[in-house]
Amino acid sequence: MKNSVLELYTRIFPGSPRFLVRSPGRVNLIGEHTDYNDGFVLPLAINYAVWIALSPLDENRVELYSGDFDQQLGFDLGEIRNRKETWLEYIKGVAAHLINKGFNLKGFQGVIQSNLPIGAGLSSSAAIEMAAVKAFSGVSGFSIGVKEMALVGQKVENDWIGVNCGIMDQLISAGGVRDHAVFIDCRSLDYRPIRIPGNALIAILDTATRRELAHSAYNERRRQCEQAARFFNIASLRDLSLELFLENRSKLDITVGNRALHVISENQRTRLTTEKLEENDLKAAGKLLVESHRSLRDLYEVSSPALNQISEAALASRGCYGARMTGGGFGGCAVALVDANKAENFQEDLYRLYRNVSGLEPKIYLSSAVDGTELITV
Ligand code: GLA
């Protein structure tokens, strides 16, 4: 990727770029639909990323060519308007929010290219946002920490793009740690790297289906969680104990109760999974992944037939400790914890089993965990 982005730059602009930015996508191992409930998540940054090659401009302007869309677009930093039209909105949104926070931004020209599948639930938009923050920090000469970067990205999604997401995707894209998953407390935004045991492999399983109606269902789940928190008079479901929930469950709407039970139990599972990984107990960690999937399927109702089929196919494949849907749901990818010595057997079985049951061709990415967004001076 690195060379192809450098080459692309020299094809579009004279000279060579001053900076390179690499910003990874993510897969979440466990802790789903917990981030906007102030809960816990355990994602990792993956070796598929958005890249930008860029050089400062004297003008107060951004000129960017997208290799993925074969399109060059630009905007003036002094006059940023939200048109909600193209991939450029992510860059404009980041610029607008950084300016709002008091950063003095300089312009740049550059190219952007990604090998992250778009819309597969691997957070390509968070990766673009974090790449844009780093690109501006490079040309403008300021430094910015991981938490602050993530908050800027989340604000862009919420206010500029209109997607009501939590903080997980941006925080892991910016703060990923090589060979580690990262346990994030989504209330304090404190995070702790958890080493992925050497005998384990994280497989990302693309169902070849894409999310549909995901936005409205996502927002509905958020509202139901808020409704449950209001009922218990707490700031968020993070603060609800299982005991108190069970004592009062019958007074809650059944669906709202199911949503709350998912969040409470998922937070517990996420904490337990970190312990099991640290103890190198892959069997126990895998079991927790399977429980998470059931809870997302039956209580939170964000799975899909394809996600159920691929998770079951994974479980029936050689070398699999556990599997579950990952990300927002309704399509996209599942994640599996696999015995590193059986990677080939696993892929062979999964491919055949999923294709037989669904008629679709899965894509399998065996990903290592990589560091978060980085700025490289060329
Ligand atoms: C999407 C959102 C995240 C998170 C997940 C579900 O990926 O962007 O903030 O809520 O769904 O865990």
Side-chain angles (χ1 to χ4, degrees), residues 26 28 31-36 123 165-169 218 327-328:
R26 64 99 185 89
N28 189 18
E32 216 65 85
H33 288 277
T34 47
D35 62 349
Y36 52 83
S123 290
C165 67
I167 192 74
M168 166 170 71
D169 306 345
Y218 187 89

Side-chain angles (χ1 to χ4, degrees), residues 77 80 91-105 129 132-137 140 142 144 148-149 152-153 156:
L77 286 168
I80 309 176
I91 317 287
K92 282 160 71 182
V94 164
H97 281 285
L98 286 173
I99 291 170
N100 241 337
K101 284 174 73 72
F103 288 100
N104 187 7
L105 298 193
E129 289 147 16
V133 176
K134 270 285 185 216
F136 281 115
S137 84
S140 316
F142 62 82
I144 180 166
E148 206 181 347
M149 284 175 71
V152 169
V156 171

Side-chain angles (χ1 to χ4, degrees), residues 7 58 210 221 258 367:
E7 246 175 65
D58 290 336
R210 292 296 174 253
R221 299 300 182 282
N258 285 345
S367 181

Side-chain angles (χ1 to χ4, degrees), residues 221 258-259 262 266 269 290-305 307-309 311-312 315 324-325:
R221 299 300 182 282
N258 285 345
R259 307 298 193 239
H262 165 73
E266 184 77 352
R269 282 187 290 270
V290 174
E291 282 171 24
S292 167
H293 183 82
R294 291 200 185 118
S295 179
L296 287 156
R297 184 189 64 195
D298 302 337
L299 298 177
Y300 219 70
E301 297 178 282
V302 290
S303 190
S304 71
L307 284 169
N308 295 336
Q309 286 165 340
S311 304
E312 278 154 30
L315 283 182
R324 56 179 283 277
M325 57 150 279

